[in-house]
Amino acid sequence: MKDEVDTREDRVANLKGMGCSRKRVEDARFTQGKGNYVDDIKLDGMLFGDFVRSPYAHARITSIDIEEALKVPGVLAVLTAADLEPLGLHWMPTLAGDKQMVLADGKVLFQGQEVAFVVAEDRYAAADGIEAVVVEYEELPVIVDPFESLKSDVVLREDTVGEDSAPIDGAHGPRKHHNHIFTWEAGDKAPTEEVIANAEVVAEETMYYHRTHPCPLETCGCVASMDKVNGKLTLWGTFQAPHAIRTVVSLISGIEEHNIRVISPDIGGGFGNKVGAYPGYVCSVVASIVTGKPVKWIEDRMDNLMTTAFARDYWMSGKISATPEGKITALRCQVTADHGGFDACADPTKFPAGFMNICTGSYDIPTAYLEVDGVYTNKAPGGVSYRCSFRVTEAVYFIERMIEVLAIELGMDAAELRRINFIKKEQFPYKAALGWEYDSGDYHTAWDKALKAVDYDALRAEQVQRVEDFKAGKTRKLMGIGLSFFTEIVGAGPVKNCDILGLGMFDSCEIRIHPTGSAIARLGTISQGQGHATTFAQILASEIGLPADSITVEEGDTDTAPYGLGTYGSRSTPVAGAATAMAGRKIRAKAQMIAAYLLEVHDDDVEFDVDRFVVKGAPEKFKTMKEIAFAAYNQAIPGIEPGLEAVSYYDPPNMTYPFGAYVCVMDIDVDTGVPDIRRFYALDDCGTRINPMIIEGQVHGGLTEALAVALGQEIAYDNMGNVKTGTLMDFFLPTAWEVPNYETDFTVTPSPHHPIGAKGVGESPHVGGVPCFSNAVQDAFRAFGLRHTNMPHDHWRIWKTANELGLHG
Amino acid sequence: MIPAGFEYHRPRDLEGVLALLDEHGDDARVMAGGHSLIPMMKLRMADVPHLIDLQAVDGLAGIEIGADEIRLGAMVTQTEIIGHAGLAEAAPILREAALQIADPQVRNMGTVGGNIANGDPGNDMPGLMQCLDARFTLVGSGGVREVAAREFYEAAYMTAREDEEVLTAVTIPRPAGGHAYEKQKRKIGDYATAAAAVQIAKEGRACASAAIAMTNLSDTPVFSEGAGAALVGTAVDAAALAAASEAMLGDIDPTEDNRGPVAFKRHVAGVILRRAIERAWSRA
């Protein structure tokens, strides 16, 4: 037997378990163009649906004439709100407790809103049909500014006012105004204000975190197929949460859940864009029911950018107080959140502003208060978490800017200010002023490692010299050193406080070991590029002692996978990864009994060793997991059922709190506004590391999306509510050319409550990266008096900053 | 992003192209690489009932380097320009500019003729051809004529080319002296925030001639005669640079877009031009 000559090291390596940079098993198909995305699905007789969209941001619809469209060859039907109303489907619930028009019900609230759904034999005919639908609009006053919205007499949503025109309560409590959605508070208002009022040092700043968009390479889409013979609906789609979609479809359509099968095939990136439910899904299902044929709907790029799920759009005002020595005493944050025409945020129900209350960051701030007001405007709905966990990017950007502003106020080095305010290692688990309990951290170690790696003091000395040279006319380039230290809150989450529309945010894993010692594991999550099929097999390999290469991981088919809440908010590893480990441990517990029987010893006399159970003290006596698997199915063992399967539904006791320390060095051409990123160092602590190569890939991707957001990516509107950045010409999606080299590094501080100590990493680099890039730009101008300037830092805005500081002579 | 229906024509020779143009008039458009026209059709901003693909037409390809002149066939791609050693020696500014157009995939399809004839003020080749004082060959059923690049552009997408004519070739006098094509853009694939084409010749220590054209700073490319004239006879010192820049700023008329407001564009245009002149002068 080969096993007998293999060393223990060989056996460990053979498993390709946790800690191994195992190559991604997904890549064989992706690199050969053999992925299977929603738009690759082609069914017999499949029809194609597409939308007539509103050119106006706010208008009443006076008529919709579909006569000419129905004459277009290949066009079979045109659905309007009038067709959906008898089914009760002209509006649908949003994940945020609001409701959203599926098709325009008498008026439109944003440019690009869905007005009618043209169903045709192919997408060409559908496009011609769209051209032939005649919609008459009566323009209404457009509001694109949330502050103006809160003062305006214009009622954007008629369902927000009662018969006396007074605002009626929304999903999260009373409205202050008819265009107001909710107020959400955390922390203690009066004590915070008192500390700030009496503080010796207070820094104040207002910042706008601009509206942007997750922009996955694959846009949103679905194929709905209603089988009228057996009454079953199959829905393929770009769903980050297929099980939740099944439940929501059942609730709003009345089709029993067992008759609905939702399948998420390969997904080309999600980043939050594919969490919510969109009118395209509802219309495709209805169209399939009406026509009896499968119906496909796929967004084009403009549809995607203009209509499905934007991110951010937070106006944040902060006050931070400190002692003259720099010890922070209190933090206050007031947010005005622009949600667009419908509140379609994807947040846990009890958190209408997501986890914005992580905004005390990595610092030991004794007193804090947060207030968020959600507002309707004439912009697209959304407010999803673009590569972050429920508004954590906004929170981290806010605190990391406030720290910089406070450093300016104190005349202190921003790295030192962070250091003296970090939560100390011995304070964990740490109860933050705004309510969260941080599980573990060692911030000082990470910070010192990062600053040493970049030789921080030398960088500052170089920067001082650069400023002198600039003032002496020797150079026209300034140097910025961007710092950020972030703490994320991921892995939603404990069912006791996290649910979406009442669905608890646990997750699941089901494992079947096959008789010959291979296995299949199914999870309630769904990979969109994260490499779950690779990493979850590694967790299992380490837990059950079978090689990762012998374990298939399957997700995304609600008929086969156990129920789970899906993949977003870096929750897959913290929640489903934990379920995987726990299910693996159930397998191992049964395997132990089988091994003991086969070895003719008591259960307690065998112990697990890499890929086998050995008799304690007699390592030559063992049974491999492969042998145990065969015996489980083929040997009658008294008192033990045949088979080797397990399922675990994991409700995490707490969130996990990954953290990291980033440094960016940037040179800025003052005359053109062009930034050049000289260096980017990223230290991530995501607890136990499952696959270092995949972690590095996730960090690279997240940093690149951070660079995009910080340096130019935005969804901009003009005063008429027209989207100015509806194509990739103007919406900044970086290419390899714009992306700098990234240096990655790590520390490991395991989560104490997670079965394998892992915390999640996919979103950390985005959360920490955005303030790091932004701080680098702003730091370059600190010597010339800049306190704060808003993102995105594209060329002209950087130029404008230089210009306003008088640097153009 | 689905175009309206259209007839696709793929003639084998120029006569076939001209016959189709005569037959369909306004309803027909010729297409070279398609990188401008196809997106416009998909956005349904261009209505083209008859699309005439030039890919199979004989006689529109080829780069010829003569003793005095260079001839580029209209269907020469940006990639071919970049890879042509003789051209890189004879007129290196073409290669320098082509490398700053879009990305390799686009450059594999994008042609000189299409870039020039479309009349998009964002395109790089029109300004470059004005700088080089190129002539465009236009062929119609009525005959052949040449139009100077400096006379060709009337307004955005409006040129001296008649609807029934095809731009078949570009003739460029062999440039002398130093060159530079300087372009600021937001990212790969973007049109210029501002771009400057400079060709400059030196005699002794003074500038003997200078040609300057700017891209995407007006509704047409801008050949700034005054900017060039400001350099001639000088040692291209700070005063001359300032004078050239001022003359250029008098000729451009940028508009605000997502790249930035007018003041920013004018400032960047001045910076870009100065850098282009300095680089060209260092090579002269």
Side-chain angles (χ1 to χ4, degrees), chain A residues 3 24 77 89 102 111 120 152 186 224 238 244 259 283 341 367 420 424 484 595 599 619 700 706 728 775:
Chain A
D3 274 342
R24 286 165 38 108
L89 292 174
V102 173
Q111 188 184 47
S152 175
T238 51
N259 278 331
C283 289
T367 316
I420 63 176
K424 296 185 187 71
S484 101
L599 292 164
H700 286 194
L728 296 185
N775 282 345

Side-chain angles (χ1 to χ4, degrees), chain B residues 5-16:
Chain B
F6 58 90
E7 285 294 320
Y8 176 79
H9 304 275
R10 196 180 172 90
R12 313 288 301 194
D13 51 36
L14 202 54
E15 289 70 38

Side-chain angles (χ1 to χ4, degrees), chain A residues 123-124 127-128 131 300 302 669 671-672 674 724 728-733 735 737-738 795-796 799 808, chain B residues 1-5 43-44 184-191 258-261 263-264 267-268 271-272 275:
Chain A
R123 61 181 80 193
Y124 297 92
D128 290 342
E131 289 281 298
D300 68 22
M302 292 175 74
D669 184 330
D671 295 317
T672 60
V674 176
K724 293 161 67 183
L728 296 185
M729 174 63 78
D730 289 310
F731 183 85
F732 177 41
L733 205 60
T735 69
W737 189 263
E738 287 82 30
H795 297 172
W796 93 259
W799 176 88
H808 294 141
Chain B
M1 292 294 282
I2 304 274
L43 290 165
R44 298 198 178 212
Q184 180 167 337
K185 55 188 173 182
R186 295 171 298 180
K187 63 168 181 176
I188 287 297
D190 195 14
Y191 292 122
N258 286 327
R259 292 174 188 82
F264 166 68
H267 186 104
V268 169
V271 173
I272 292 294
R275 289 178 185 176

Side-chain angles (χ1 to χ4, degrees), chain A residues 85-156:
Chain A
E85 190 171 3
L87 308 168
L89 292 174
H90 56 317
W91 289 70
M92 64 178 183
T94 71
L95 296 183
D98 195 3
K99 57 180 189 165
Q100 175 177 352
M101 291 179 212
V102 173
L103 291 171
D105 184 18
K107 71 183 283 193
V108 289
L109 287 162
F110 64 94
Q111 188 184 47
Q113 187 176 332
E114 301 82 358
V115 173
F117 191 66
V118 175
V119 184
E121 286 170 357
D122 57 48
R123 61 181 80 193
Y124 297 92
D128 290 342
I130 287 168
E131 289 281 298
V133 173
V134 180
V135 185
E136 302 221 351
Y137 298 91
E138 183 184 299
E139 288 184 70
L140 295 169
V142 173
I143 303 174
V144 292
D145 178 298
F147 300 100
E148 189 196 317
S149 185
L150 287 178
K151 288 182 279 186
S152 175
D153 294 337
V154 176
V155 177
L156 294 176

Side-chain angles (χ1 to χ4, degrees), chain A residues 370-386:
Chain A
L370 164 72
E371 182 183 34
V372 183
D373 286 300
V375 184
Y376 290 124
T377 62
N378 290 122
K379 295 175 173 177
V384 295
S385 311
Y386 169 10

